[in-house]
Amino acid sequence: MTEALAEVAQWLQDARSVLVLTGAGISAESGIPTFRGKDGWWKNHDPMELASPEGFARNPALVWEWYAYRYHLVEKAQPNPGHHAIAHLEERTPAFLLLTQNVDGLHRRAGSKNVHEIHGSIQRMRCTRTGKIYHPTDVPIEPPFPLKTPDGDLLRPDVVWFGETIRMDAAEAVEDFLATHHPDVCLLIGTSALFAYIQSWSLRAKYAGARLVEINAERSTLSGMADAFIQQQAGTALPQLVEALT
Ligand code: OAD
């Protein structure tokens, strides 16, 4: 174990309260492509354009085809050692909150409990007319696309697209956690941290006394602000960290 990892393990060992923020990088080792990585493109389409209300309005069938591809990828995927390590960390930490930007549900499948999905879930669909929620058991995610409700209304994935409002219940959970539990450590894992709310929560935790620890295969916008920047794959670094805890 590197010196930096050993130091972070000590911070986690002493922490009473831990806030974890994750992004697509935590699921990369489960075979789910990240958004901005070179493997993120699908059939020559930029995911940034597909994951938008404009992209859906232009071509709902194409957007549904892409989500169906991702949905089935996620269904076949397994949580990796990084997801499992985060679930173990939760078990041993008195106050713990996990905020993920991922819609894949892999944290829950790994056993994480207090997890909030700020960008929604690929396992749910929403009626564009009534707002009613549907599950793949109600409407199978299979062609023909776009998917419709039994009444013939257009469905969309219940995820947050570019330019849309984030899940307020998840945002409020983080705000409450920051105000009530004053994290000792904030772990930022596998995210390019481009969204203002991710930057804001990380920095607010830090300036309220948390150690800001980043685990990322590459530098992000926040690496320069981190108290420890662990440039490793999450599936390698996280299990080592958790194994070091007594
Ligand atoms: P990105 O694709 O922007 O960033 C993934 C990050 O993970 C990068 O910083 C990589 O360096 C890092 N990474 C890749 N593999 C890794 C590994 N094995 N271990 C650790 N780090 C690794 O994804 P996000 O930051 O999650 O939003 O992007 C945030 C949001 O932008 C997504 O939720 C989605 C996207 O567009 C919406 O759809 C609204």
Side-chain angles (χ1 to χ4, degrees), residues 186-209:
C186 175
L187 281 179
L188 185 68
I189 304 168
T191 175
S192 46
L194 289 171
F195 288 128
Y197 38 93
I198 299 298
Q199 297 175 4
S200 164
W201 287 326
S202 304
L203 295 180
R204 280 168 52 207
K206 176 181 165 84
Y207 290 119

Side-chain angles (χ1 to χ4, degrees), residues 22-30 33-37 39-40 47-48 51-52 66-67 70 80 100-103 118-119 159-164 166 189-195 197-198 214-221 230 232-236:
T22 66
I26 186 81
S27 294
E29 290 159 78
S30 292
T34 61
F35 278 80
R36 294 176 181 80
D39 56 349
M48 307 301 163
S52 70
W66 179 57
Y67 272 96
R70 286 185 74 92
N80 67 56
T100 186
Q101 296 163 82
N102 301 344
V103 298
I118 193 86
H119 291 160
V159 300
V160 174
W161 284 329
F162 287 100
E164 294 187 322
I166 51 173
I189 304 168
T191 175
S192 46
L194 289 171
F195 288 128
Y197 38 93
I198 299 298
E214 181 179 29
I215 300 174
N216 197 313
E218 289 165 34
R219 291 185 75 81
S220 79
T221 52
I230 310 290
Q232 285 186 25
Q233 301 223 316
T236 306

Side-chain angles (χ1 to χ4, degrees), residues 28-52:
E29 290 159 78
S30 292
I32 314 291
T34 61
F35 278 80
R36 294 176 181 80
K38 55 182 175 339
D39 56 349
W41 281 59
W42 173 79
K43 292 190 181 177
N44 281 333
H45 295 288
D46 182 347
M48 307 301 163
E49 281 165 26
L50 294 170
S52 70

Side-chain angles (χ1 to χ4, degrees), residues 56-244:
F56 189 64
R58 247 192 323 266
N59 196 339
L62 179 73
V63 171
W64 259 120
E65 209 190 311
W66 179 57
Y67 272 96
Y69 160 72
R70 286 185 74 92
Y71 171 79
H72 291 294
L73 206 60
V74 164
E75 285 302 288
K76 278 188 250 129
Q78 295 300 325
N80 67 56
H83 295 108
H84 287 295
I86 293 172
H88 286 304
L89 185 63
E90 178 171 14
E91 276 171 21
R92 67 169 316 280
T93 308
F96 184 96
L97 186 138
L98 167 58
L99 184 287
T100 186
Q101 296 163 82
N102 301 344
V103 298
D104 56 34
L106 289 174
H107 281 302
R108 258 180 233 288
R109 280 169 57 193
S112 284
K113 293 193 174 61
N114 195 18
V115 35
H116 298 267
E117 296 167 319
I118 193 86
H119 291 160
S121 166
I122 202 168
Q123 277 94 14
R124 291 191 307 260
M125 292 160 263
R126 194 166 79 230
C127 176
T128 54
R129 190 174 65 84
T130 63
K132 187 177 168 202
I133 296 295
Y134 290 80
H135 296 94
T137 42
D138 310 316
V139 179
I141 304 190
E142 301 291 348
F145 298 121
L147 293 181
K148 303 222 167 117
T149 67
D151 296 334
D153 292 323
L154 182 63
L155 282 166
R156 57 164 286 175
D158 190 29
V159 300
V160 174
W161 284 329
F162 287 100
E164 294 187 322
T165 308
I166 51 173
R167 306 286 303 211
M168 287 318 286
D169 49 350
E172 279 165 15
V174 179
E175 292 295 337
D176 280 356
F177 189 82
L178 286 172
T180 312
H181 294 291
H182 312 290
D184 302 307
V185 177
C186 175
L187 281 179
L188 185 68
I189 304 168
T191 175
S192 46
L194 289 171
F195 288 128
Y197 38 93
I198 299 298
Q199 297 175 4
S200 164
W201 287 326
S202 304
L203 295 180
R204 280 168 52 207
K206 176 181 165 84
Y207 290 119
R211 306 276 195 178
L212 179 61
V213 176
E214 181 179 29
I215 300 174
N216 197 313
E218 289 165 34
R219 291 185 75 81
S220 79
T221 52
L222 284 175
S223 306
M225 303 298 290
D227 296 295
F229 171 54
I230 310 290
Q231 188 159 10
Q232 285 186 25
Q233 301 223 316
T236 306
L238 283 164
Q240 285 187 53
L241 271 180
V242 170
E243 274 162 31

